[in-house]
């Protein structure tokens, strides 16, 4: 069971990422991963991945082993300076390399801003459900702060507490 083995052996899966050689990258790729040249990647995709990137990499390997062609997924990657980014990746093989995997092309888009917005939205939804049962302002602020810290260091939100006049507005509406 290769899927179970990959999951149980993350160190071995990381070794596999180091076997995938990067042979060319465009200027946009260099900028996205904060690299000045292809040499900054160390020649392999393992430099862009950490353990939280492996599930999608493993999914890709299993997809390809089963004969799948084009693969598309969202994942996390890391810049050469270690900054975590969310990516949309599309991977396909050249027509003459489908069996050998010698020439694989990947298109990677930075979706970090969109993912942060989604995390914020989902966090707000969960937090609001909790807050609906909270009675104190301290509980509200504590819950919201904890949720934001879990989601991302880049997220910011405002908390508004309404007064009794808001209840009058609701009744009038």
């Amino acid at each position: 069971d290769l899927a179970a083995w990959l999951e149980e052996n993350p160190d071995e899966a990381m070794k596999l990422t180091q076997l995938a050689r990067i042979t060319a990258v465009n200027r946009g790729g260099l900028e996205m991963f904060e690299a000045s040249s292809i040499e900054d990647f160390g020649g392999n995709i393992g430099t862009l991945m950490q353990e939280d990137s492996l599930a999608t990499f493993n999914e890709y390997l299993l997809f390809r082993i089963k004969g799948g062609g084009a693969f598309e997924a969202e994942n996390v990657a890391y810049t050469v300076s270690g900054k975590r980014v969310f990516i949309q990746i599309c991977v396909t093989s050249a027509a003459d390399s489908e069996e050998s995997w010698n020439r694989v092309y990947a298109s990677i888009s930075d979706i970090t801003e969109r993912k942060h917005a989604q995390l914020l939205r989902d966090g707000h939804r969960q937090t609001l459900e909790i807050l609906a049962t909270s009675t104190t302002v301290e509980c509200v602020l504590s819950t919201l702060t904890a949720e934001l810290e879990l989601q991302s260091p880049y997220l910011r939100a405002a908390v508004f507490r309404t007064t009794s006049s808001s209840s009058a507005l609701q009744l009038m509406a």
Side-chain angles (χ1 to χ4, degrees), residues 4-6 34 39 47 52 57 60 62 66 72 75 77 83 93 98 103 107 110-111 116 131 133 135 138 156 167 170:
W5 184 85
L6 287 168
E34 300 177 339
E39 288 78 25
T47 58
D52 59 348
F57 179 75
Y60 167 71
L62 296 169
K66 292 177 183 174
E72 189 172 333
N75 201 7
K83 180 178 149 191
S93 292
E98 292 167 333
R103 287 190 306 149
S107 170
D110 184 346
I111 59 168
H116 283 170
L131 299 179
T133 62
T135 56
E138 291 78 18
R156 303 288 180 264
S167 297
Q170 179 188 16

Side-chain angles (χ1 to χ4, degrees), residues 60 70-73 88-92 104-109:
Y60 167 71
F71 178 82
E72 189 172 333
Q88 174 74 35
I89 184 165
C90 302
V91 184
T92 191
V104 176
Y105 299 99
S107 170
I108 301 173
S109 301

Side-chain angles (χ1 to χ4, degrees), residues 5-18 51 54:
W5 184 85
L6 287 168
E7 190 174 319
E8 293 167 8
N9 296 283
D11 292 341
E12 295 299 320
M14 279 303 289
K15 287 179 187 175
L16 292 174
T17 69
Q18 296 168 4
E51 195 166 326
L54 286 178

Side-chain angles (χ1 to χ4, degrees), residues 107-159:
S107 170
I108 301 173
S109 301
D110 184 346
I111 59 168
T112 303
E113 287 185 26
R114 178 176 62 97
K115 289 301 282 187
H116 283 170
Q118 285 176 340
L119 289 170
L120 183 59
R121 180 200 64 213
D122 294 346
H124 279 172
R125 183 179 301 122
Q126 292 171 346
T127 303
L128 289 173
E129 290 171 0
I130 294 167
L131 299 179
T133 62
S134 299
T135 56
T136 66
V137 172
E138 291 78 18
C139 183
V140 170
L141 293 174
S142 172
T143 301
L144 183 59
T145 302
E147 181 62 32
L148 287 174
E149 289 173 356
L150 282 174
Q151 300 299 332
S152 170
Y154 305 106
L155 300 178
R156 303 288 180 264
V159 177

